[in-house]
Amino acid sequence: MTDVPVRPLPPPSAAPSPSTPQTLAEATRCLNSWIEVDLDAMRDNVAALQRAVGPGVELIAVVKANAYGLGVEGLALPLEAAGVARFAVVSMPEALALRALGVTRPIVVLGHCFPADAAAAVAAGITVACHSLAVGEALSEAAVAQGRTAQVHIHIDSGLHREGVTADEAVALAPKLRGLPGIEVHGMSTHMANADEPDDSYSLHQRAEFERVVAALPWVPYRHAANSATALRRPELRYEGVRLGLSLHGVLPENTPDPGLRPVLSLKARLARVSALAEGDGVSYGLTWRAPRPSLVALVPVGYADGWRRALGNRGEVLVQGRRCPIVGRVMMDQFVVDVTGLPEPPREGDECVLIGGQGGGRITADEVAAKAETIPWDILASLQPRTPRLFHRGGLVVPPPAPE
Ligand SMILES: *Cc1c(COP(=O)(O)O)cnc(C)c1O
């Protein structure tokens, strides 16, 4: 292997200061890999989704799992400013982190809560999906002690057989919760098992189950049953609010109409090394790819520890100079190799490479990466790791996330 001559590294960029916003090009000059989060696209997606579901339906931003890997620290307040009415997360720590970021809108914890979570939930004004009388009693006690009201939602397991209570249990539980001092039973929810399947028979079955509870508890004012696919496909399941995760980021479930969304996420890297290989030279662990001819290959400093799946070895592609280049050999923990033979210009160390996103006329979507890795786009996004720097940007300028309180 002989190294191709490299371009000298650029001088270190000036220390970023809040008074001098940096362009993306400036901010990424000395980054090996990074995630770009386009806040303009996110704001436009919120507007497009609100138009699609209609003005009377609230958007509930589902920002569990670090806002699907994009970085909740930089997305929460812009989502609030863009007009989402509520937030949903899965756990109490996620809810408290949102409050620490300065989120003031209502936050629902969809997942399991313990009675021991009650005091913190009440103090931070968190709505708990209450699955038991024990949690309701703890919330009531905390609400009375703190002189506040604890808002609860009841999640109905209408057929996913995940969290929640059955329809019959909900009908029995709701009046008991209502009778506890300091408790407001504000909402009820359910979640579809086959939201993006062309066959809607199971969704109709789940709807009928949910409607049984709706009919029995007409005094509960707020209902939510739809994720992205359901919200965009089934107007009858929009109720008062829709819980949107994937679509906020401009990625759509299968079989779902596009209301004109734009991709929010890009994953990019700078080539770490460009090498010439002789015919027959092997690449990466196991030497599963051998150069079929004298080749030029480039090292991309992103690996499976960054969420870039090992399954993409010898299968995936990335963009260099706006053109698709195949991944050759296995994806390693921190790097993989691409074949850049035959690009119009030999690439150089430091050149930008796009793993998800657009470059020149080319584009690689999260859907495509998911299909090649034999998984779903939710999994590709949620696998992004904290070690990758995030650059939240608006109008081409980097917006630093707020420091937590
Ligand atoms: C994750 C989640 C959502 C969001 O689903 P998307 O398909 O990403 O819009 C909605 N509701 C519940 C209960 C969830 O767990």
Side-chain angles (χ1 to χ4, degrees), residues 62 64 68 90 110 155 162-163 191 226-229 243-247 253 378:
V62 182
K64 61 191 178 188
Y68 286 40
V90 162
L110 301 167
H155 189 81
R162 203 170 71 173
E163 71 273 278
H191 191 45
N227 57 5
S228 295
R243 301 184 303 264
L244 306 179
L246 197 67
S247 55
W378 292 264

Side-chain angles (χ1 to χ4, degrees), residues 202-330:
Y202 198 71
S203 294
L204 293 175
H205 159 76
Q206 286 190 267
R207 181 187 176 215
E209 197 66 2
F210 187 57
E211 279 291 333
R212 276 209 299 134
V213 189
V214 169
L217 304 172
W219 49 270
V220 179
Y222 194 89
R223 285 110 8 123
H224 49 109
N227 57 5
S228 295
T230 309
L232 292 168
R233 296 179 66 194
R234 309 203 184 287
E236 73 281 9
L237 281 165
R238 287 177 190 151
Y239 295 102
E240 283 69 44
V242 291
R243 301 184 303 264
L244 306 179
L246 197 67
S247 55
L248 292 174
H249 309 307
V251 185
L252 280 168
E254 284 182 354
N255 302 308
T256 301
D258 183 1
L261 303 180
R262 299 207 278 139
V264 171
L265 162 84
S266 302
L267 175 60
K268 299 184 180 177
R270 295 200 180 279
L271 302 181
R273 183 188 180 199
V274 180
S275 346
L277 300 186
E279 181 180 333
D281 280 351
V283 161
S284 183
Y285 294 126
L287 308 173
T288 59
W289 184 83
R290 285 183 184 276
R293 35 144 173 73
S295 298
L296 203 58
V297 294
L299 185 67
V300 181
V302 176
Y304 60 76
D306 302 294
W308 189 250
R309 293 317 175 78
R310 200 164 172 276
L312 295 166
N314 289 316
R315 284 187 88 166
E317 290 177 327
V318 300
L319 298 172
V320 181
Q321 296 172 13
R323 297 178 187 235
R324 286 173 173 266
C325 300
I327 297 175
V328 292
R330 288 187 183 147

Side-chain angles (χ1 to χ4, degrees), residues 53-369:
V53 299
V57 178
E58 287 188 357
L59 302 191
I60 307 170
V62 182
V63 293
K64 61 191 178 188
N66 196 21
Y68 286 40
L70 273 72
V72 74
E73 71 280 8
L75 271 170
L77 295 184
L79 278 166
E80 205 169 53
V84 306
R86 277 163 211 273
F87 289 85
V89 290
V90 162
S91 68
M92 272 296 293
E94 288 183 322
L96 297 174
L98 273 185
R99 280 281 179 260
L101 287 167
V103 164
T104 55
R105 299 267 161 84
I107 302 169
V108 190
V109 175
L110 301 167
H112 181 263
C113 281
F114 295 93
D117 292 321
V122 172
I126 309 293
T127 307
V128 170
C130 183
H131 301 148
S132 72
L133 192 57
V135 169
E137 283 167 349
L139 286 164
S140 168
E141 203 175 298
V144 169
Q146 296 179 32
R148 306 173 68 124
T149 301
Q151 202 179 66
V152 301
H153 286 193
I154 300 177
H155 189 81
I156 290 113
D157 171 15
S158 60
L160 179 62
H161 300 125
R162 203 170 71 173
E163 71 273 278
V165 294
T166 65
D168 291 335
E169 285 166 347
V171 171
L173 177 64
K176 290 183 194 155
L177 293 174
R178 192 190 198 187
L180 294 172
I183 295 280
E184 180 202 355
V185 182
H186 170 260
M188 61 172 102
S189 58
T190 194
H191 191 45
M192 298 295 142
N194 280 347
D196 55 6
E197 294 289 324
D199 176 358
D200 63 2
S201 54
Y202 198 71
S203 294
L204 293 175
H205 159 76
Q206 286 190 267
R207 181 187 176 215
E209 197 66 2
F210 187 57
E211 279 291 333
R212 276 209 299 134
V213 189
V214 169
L217 304 172
W219 49 270
V220 179
Y222 194 89
R223 285 110 8 123
H224 49 109
N227 57 5
S228 295
T230 309
L232 292 168
R233 296 179 66 194
R234 309 203 184 287
E236 73 281 9
L237 281 165
R238 287 177 190 151
Y239 295 102
E240 283 69 44
V242 291
R243 301 184 303 264
L244 306 179
L246 197 67
S247 55
L248 292 174
H249 309 307
V251 185
L252 280 168
E254 284 182 354
N255 302 308
T256 301
D258 183 1
L261 303 180
R262 299 207 278 139
V264 171
L265 162 84
S266 302
L267 175 60
K268 299 184 180 177
R270 295 200 180 279
L271 302 181
R273 183 188 180 199
V274 180
S275 346
L277 300 186
E279 181 180 333
D281 280 351
V283 161
S284 183
Y285 294 126
L287 308 173
T288 59
W289 184 83
R290 285 183 184 276
R293 35 144 173 73
S295 298
L296 203 58
V297 294
L299 185 67
V300 181
V302 176
Y304 60 76
D306 302 294
W308 189 250
R309 293 317 175 78
R310 200 164 172 276
L312 295 166
N314 289 316
R315 284 187 88 166
E317 290 177 327
V318 300
L319 298 172
V320 181
Q321 296 172 13
R323 297 178 187 235
R324 286 173 173 266
C325 300
I327 297 175
V328 292
R330 288 187 183 147
V331 172
M332 297 164 272
M333 188 182 280
D334 309 297
Q335 307 86 356
F336 63 90
V337 174
V338 289
D339 184 2
V340 291
T341 316
L343 284 179
E345 295 272 315
R348 293 183 294 180
E349 178 187 334
D351 281 358
E352 188 176 290
C353 153
V354 172
L355 288 70
I356 299 175
Q359 189 189 53
R363 174 162 288 281
I364 292 178
T365 64
D367 289 293
E368 172 187 335
V369 175

